[in-house]
Amino acid sequence: MGRPILLAAGGTGGHLFPAAALAASLARRGAEVELATDSRALKYGGDFPARAIHTFPAATTTDAGALAKARAALTLSAGLATALVQLRRIRPRAVVGFGGYPTVPPLLAASLMRVPSVLHEQNAVMGRANRFLSPRVNLIACGFPLKRVDRAIEAKIRVTGNPVRPSVIAAAEIPYPEVVGRRLNVLVTGGSQGARVMADVVPAALALLAPDERQWIRLTQQARGEDSSRVAAACARMGFPVEIAEFFADLPARIASAHLIIGRAGASTVSELAVIGRASVLVPFPHALDQDQAANAAALAASGGAVVVPQPEFTPERLAAILRGALAAPEKLAAQAAAARSVGVPDAAERLADLVMEVAQPA
């Protein structure tokens, strides 16, 4: 087998989805790909387009307490030792990191072994693991123009956009849905921890609308566990139909069929909204250490494609006013959708693959 390009990504969808998009792009160029990650990603193993998956010990160092930090340092040291052994065996042409602490051991090993490396930062603010690794890599690819950049790494930075899944590219081909009468398709995303506010605010906002306003809204909401039950009960009390699920496997297609999306502002979400081209109300997660979601949301709002509402201001009254405005002037949502699409980067995976192949050693 030929020497592979090793992709290193934390074991969550937010890191693995763009890594998978890059893997598919590299495969189309004839490059072999392997994945370095942590144990959380094993459930994705059957889907990730790599010839082999390697797991490394990794831990965050942000937990409070000296004992927790000491344990994390020991785990990262063990991960580095493992990575040095594995990289000698794998002999990668290049290592590409997608963020998260599982990327630290393989990227550090690559630096020590003088293997070319590329970092990809999804957010508009660089994460802590990537900030630590940035002086040690050859190039830094970014999903958005970065805020607060250290001058020492400015020359390495290239804005490529965030690679998106093939299902997102397919959804981008779906035409903007026609508004029949005043009917609006509203999609609420956010089934993960920290998104409970959606279950609190959205039904309460609908309750503030008059029945003749509410009848024109078709709601699909992503919610988990007891949040799902609360949304269903609140809508039932109004006699308002709603489709609820913890997870939508066809989420990109549902984004494409919506006129308005309400959700958080993770890098993947913002990038997918831009590529597909739909209007959104973004409520950045307020407790993030680096306020990365606020920066992501601001990047899309600057195009005119999104309205950003800080969580303290995301009240039923504020959302009800937004929905009334959308019902009164649906053409504004169409204009926002076009503005969002104008800043989408559907070929981000190809742009990133170009950078990787630029630094990679011969096969």
Side-chain angles (χ1 to χ4, degrees):
M1 294 190 295
R3 296 174 62 196
I5 292 172
L6 183 66
L7 309 186
T12 64
H15 291 132
L16 287 170
F17 288 154
L22 174 63
S25 180
L26 291 171
R28 288 192 292 271
R29 300 169 188 232
E32 299 280 0
V33 174
E34 297 188 6
L35 173 67
T37 185
D38 60 29
S39 57
R40 294 174 299 168
L42 295 180
K43 62 183 177 181
Y44 296 96
D47 298 324
F48 198 93
R51 73 182 188 188
I53 296 178
H54 313 278
T55 59
F56 296 101
T60 176
T61 58
T62 58
D63 292 334
L67 183 58
K69 292 182 182 296
R71 286 175 178 164
L74 287 172
T75 302
L76 286 171
S77 297
L80 175 58
T82 302
L84 286 167
V85 172
Q86 291 277 46
L87 261 65
R88 288 192 183 96
R89 182 181 60 81
I90 297 168
R91 298 178 58 246
R93 301 168 59 190
V95 179
V96 186
F98 282 87
Y101 278 89
T103 67
V104 172
L107 267 294
L108 273 182
S111 175
L112 292 171
M113 297 172 64
R114 301 185 184 278
V115 176
S117 56
V118 177
L119 270 183
H120 182 269
E121 174 55 61
Q122 287 182 271
N123 295 294
V125 176
M126 186 172 284
R128 296 186 174 208
N130 278 357
R131 286 207 302 271
F132 171 73
L133 291 167
S134 60
R136 299 166 172 83
V137 300
N138 296 78
L139 290 174
I140 301 167
C142 303
F144 304 98
L146 286 175
K147 297 180 180 294
R148 302 194 298 271
V149 175
D150 188 329
R151 289 188 177 181
I153 64 170
E154 278 183 337
K156 300 179 181 182
I157 293 174
R158 310 285 189 275
V159 179
T160 61
N162 283 318
V164 295
R165 296 169 283 171
S167 58
V168 175
I169 301 298
E173 298 300 318
I174 299 173
Y176 184 79
E178 181 183 358
V179 177
V180 179
R182 296 169 61 200
R183 185 172 299 281
L184 294 181
N185 300 333
V186 178
L187 172 65
V188 180
T189 65
S192 61
Q193 185 178 11
R196 177 165 293 183
V197 66
M198 300 298 167
D200 294 335
V201 172
V202 173
L206 290 169
L208 294 176
L209 299 179
D212 63 336
E213 294 173 318
R214 203 159 50 229
Q215 68 173 329
W216 292 108
I217 294 176
R218 178 184 175 189
L219 177 66
T220 301
Q221 183 152 354
Q222 189 179 12
R224 288 184 176 179
E226 66 177 29
D227 291 343
S228 176
S229 302
R230 289 191 300 114
V231 171
C235 290
R237 287 193 295 270
M238 292 181 280
F240 180 79
V242 59
E243 182 179 2
I244 309 172
E246 292 192 9
F247 175 77
F248 291 110
D250 60 343
L251 186 60
R254 289 176 181 269
I255 291 173
S257 67
H259 299 101
L260 177 66
I261 293 86
I262 304 168
R264 291 298 195 189
S268 293
T269 297
V270 172
S271 297
E272 290 175 4
L273 287 170
V275 169
I276 297 170
R278 294 297 182 267
S280 58
V281 174
L282 298 177
V283 185
F285 182 61
H287 306 302
L289 290 173
D290 300 310
Q291 291 300 301
D292 52 341
Q293 289 201 9
N296 299 341
L300 187 56
S303 73
V307 174
V308 181
V309 182
Q311 185 160 311
E313 301 173 21
F314 186 60
T315 62
E317 292 77 11
R318 176 74 183 276
L319 181 56
I322 291 172
L323 292 173
R324 284 196 186 99
L327 288 168
E331 68 278 3
K332 292 184 179 179
L333 295 182
Q336 288 179 338
R341 191 180 180 96
S342 72
V343 295
V345 189
D347 64 341
E350 298 298 325
R351 296 185 186 193
L352 181 55
D354 287 340
L355 292 185
V356 175
M357 297 306 291
E358 180 184 321
V359 303
Q361 295 170 344

